[in-house]
Amino acid sequence: DAGRFVKPFTDPEAIGNARKAVETFNRLFKSHVTMPFPAFHSRNLFSGQLQNVLFGASDPTVKGPLAYAKPLAQAYKLRSGKALKNLSREVPEFKQLGLTDREATEALSNEVFARGLTGDAQNAADIGKAAPDAASRMPGQPQLKNPLLQKGAFNPLQPETFVPTRIGGDVAGFVEELNRLSPYIAYRKQGYSADAAADLVKRIQVDYSNATNWETKYGRNVIPFYMFASRMLPMVAKELAQHPGGPMAQAVKVSGR
């Protein structure tokens, strides 16, 4: 009897089956309480843009609220594959190279692609989809598959193909890309190098692609929203400790009141 009791905790096959069961439940839970709801996506957009404000991701070419609205509008255009007007003059590096607006937009898009700022790997609402191909990380390359024609489109137990969660996943990815592209554009205009701007964006918006082997196998699959909490909590604690009177601390005080 003791041997049979211990087996599920010591046998690799039994452990694997138990882990898969927990992973399946967690995946279903996360997908069905987040992605079908507009409130989830609007909250992510608001909180992500607030992070950009708190960490100074402003456009130096304009003043006031436009300093944050302009990069967001340009992020939308970049993702849509449109050339960004005056970008060649607003980014110091592009200005020195004498690029046209179209060339500058292509250069910016290539920088984003090379540093993995977009695509399914950076989607906080990832629900176990297959590994994304390279094209899905390029701004302006939307999914072309019709979700209604995919197998499992009406099966809620398959959130990666179930229509409400599949479409919600695309919306979540769109929001995540706006939250990352807009500060990247702002930091590049401020004179940051491509690497420095990307590192800062990943720090304030959470780098979901930089997971350890344990986090990939267990953390993010067993603990709901583990990746966000494990990345955000240390960053917030460090910011509050280093700048107790800074923008984030003031935001905490205002929300508390």
Side-chain angles (χ1 to χ4, degrees):
D1 288 342
R4 286 195 297 270
F5 178 80
V6 172
K7 185 176 180 180
F9 302 96
T10 57
D11 180 60
E13 182 178 356
I15 294 174
N17 291 335
R19 189 190 61 167
K20 288 179 181 179
V22 174
E23 289 176 358
T24 299
F25 172 80
N26 190 38
R27 185 164 57 94
L28 290 172
F29 169 75
K30 288 195 300 182
S31 61
H32 288 290
V33 301
T34 57
M35 286 179 288
F37 305 104
F40 170 74
H41 307 296
S42 59
R43 184 197 68 205
N44 280 356
L45 180 63
F46 176 81
S47 61
Q49 290 302 311
L50 178 61
Q51 276 289 94
N52 296 335
V53 172
L54 295 178
F55 284 88
S58 59
D59 189 332
T61 65
V62 290
K63 296 181 180 180
L66 285 177
Y68 301 98
K70 183 177 179 180
L72 180 60
Q74 289 185 319
Y76 179 84
K77 291 182 179 179
L78 179 66
R79 194 184 182 281
S80 302
K82 299 178 181 178
L84 304 184
K85 187 178 179 181
N86 298 325
L87 183 68
S88 59
R89 297 194 299 270
E90 294 175 346
V91 176
E93 185 177 330
F94 296 160
K95 186 177 181 179
Q96 292 177 358
L97 294 174
L99 303 181
T100 65
D101 286 342
R102 172 56 66 180
E103 292 171 339
T105 301
E106 291 178 356
L108 190 71
S109 182
N110 289 336
E111 292 175 3
V112 168
F113 171 79
R115 288 158 183 81
L117 290 180
T118 60
D120 287 341
Q122 293 292 6
N123 192 344
D126 176 49
I127 52 173
K129 293 174 287 186
D133 60 359
S136 74
R137 294 195 286 123
M138 287 293 287
Q141 297 293 326
Q143 300 262 348
L144 298 178
K145 294 181 180 179
N146 186 338
L148 294 175
L149 301 180
Q150 294 188 59
K151 184 179 179 180
F154 302 99
N155 185 357
L157 298 180
Q158 297 183 21
E160 63 274 10
T161 54
F162 184 49
V163 173
T165 51
R166 173 66 268 177
I167 295 177
D170 290 338
V171 175
F174 171 70
V175 170
E176 290 288 344
E177 290 183 8
L178 290 183
N179 284 340
R180 285 171 169 74
L181 291 173
S182 56
Y184 183 80
I185 293 171
Y187 288 136
R188 289 292 276 139
K189 289 183 179 183
Q190 291 179 18
Y192 283 82
S193 68
D195 287 335
D199 289 343
L200 189 52
V201 169
K202 288 181 179 180
R203 183 168 70 90
I204 66 175
Q205 291 295 340
V206 181
D207 184 8
Y208 293 100
S209 67
N210 186 27
T212 65
N213 185 56
W214 183 89
E215 289 174 333
T216 301
K217 280 187 174 182
Y218 302 100
R220 71 190 309 173
N221 289 323
V222 176
I223 305 173
F225 312 109
Y226 168 83
M227 289 294 289
F228 177 82
S230 67
R231 299 299 191 271
M232 189 60 66
L233 289 176
M235 188 272 289
V236 171
K238 181 179 179 180
E239 174 65 18
L240 293 177
Q242 292 182 342
H243 306 98
M248 179 176 288
Q250 297 301 325
V252 173
K253 292 179 181 179
V254 170
S255 65
R257 291 169 182 170

